Amino acid sequence: MQVHMGPALPSMDNFVPVGGGSDFYNPHCLRRDMTSYVTETWGTTANLLNVTVGAASRTIRDFQQEIEGSRFFENIGFHAMGHAAMAADGADLYTSPNDPVFYFHHAMLDHVWWLWQVLHPEQARTIFGTITMRNDPPSRNATVDDLLDMRELYPHRPIRELLGTLDGTPLCYIYV
């Protein structure tokens, strides 16, 4: 499969970043280096139970920090785990959507978040964190009234409108 962007932040030796940024045109064959090490280490039943009904499920803050993992390797979290398992183009923060596996991975994250919401209805419509990724640069806390900028993909929406999958609009789905 030929992809046309990236890498911007390559994760493997000998993968050179493309000059010009994450959207710079660079046709190349999709590269993967699938590894089971990260999924066997961090994609465990114990870790799933921890984020859905265990200690890391108690607040949206705890849940989110466990899903996102730490910057250190004691727990890379479910999110980084999926990208690390794909490696190569799939591990690049900016161009991982080039790989179709990216969408399965993010559907899994959505499913885990949905499970957490069902099990914690009192917090299901809360959020945690700032308006910048990993608070870099430091910024104010996000609110449910902040607009989610989806560029040309979809009209901008307040976060509060996207927290419920059963509201009928704009989201209407359930996992079974």
Side-chain angles (χ1 to χ4, degrees):
M1 175 179 169
Q2 188 177 57
V3 296
H4 301 278
M5 296 187 321
L9 294 173
S11 65
M12 297 181 64
D13 291 342
N14 301 318
F15 280 32
V16 178
V18 174
S22 61
D23 59 354
F24 190 76
Y25 185 66
N26 179 35
H28 62 279
C29 289
L30 177 68
R31 296 165 294 199
R32 290 183 182 148
D33 188 18
M34 302 298 274
T35 175
S36 61
Y37 172 77
V38 293
T39 55
E40 291 170 356
T41 304
W42 293 289
T44 64
T45 301
N47 282 348
L48 177 62
L49 290 172
N50 187 35
V51 298
T52 53
V53 295
S57 74
R58 293 187 183 130
T59 67
I60 185 64
R61 175 189 177 272
D62 293 343
F63 170 79
Q64 186 172 317
Q65 287 183 331
E66 190 72 12
I67 287 290
E68 290 301 324
S70 68
R71 294 182 188 202
F72 309 103
F73 287 107
E74 60 268 3
N75 179 17
I76 65 171
F78 281 107
H79 186 198
M81 174 195 64
H83 289 277
M86 287 184 278
D89 288 335
D92 187 303
L93 174 69
Y94 296 100
T95 59
S96 57
N98 283 332
D99 191 330
V101 173
F102 167 92
Y103 297 95
F104 291 106
H105 168 58
H106 278 261
M108 179 275 303
L109 290 171
D110 184 65
H111 189 189
V112 171
W113 179 63
W114 182 85
L115 285 171
W116 180 85
Q117 285 185 300
V118 168
L119 294 167
H120 302 86
E122 70 287 352
Q123 295 184 69
R125 293 177 184 267
T126 61
I127 62 172
F128 168 78
T130 65
I131 59 171
T132 54
M133 186 167 49
R134 295 197 186 267
N135 199 30
D136 185 18
S139 61
R140 68 171 174 82
N141 286 335
T143 73
V144 294
D145 295 315
D146 286 329
L147 287 180
L148 186 59
D149 180 352
M150 295 184 256
R151 309 290 172 156
E152 295 80 28
L153 297 175
Y154 199 77
H156 301 350
R157 295 272 190 165
I159 293 170
R160 80 169 61 255
E161 291 182 13
L162 302 169
L163 293 174
T165 64
L166 299 175
D167 294 347
T169 182
L171 305 176
C172 186
Y173 65 92
I174 188 170
Y175 288 98
V176 290

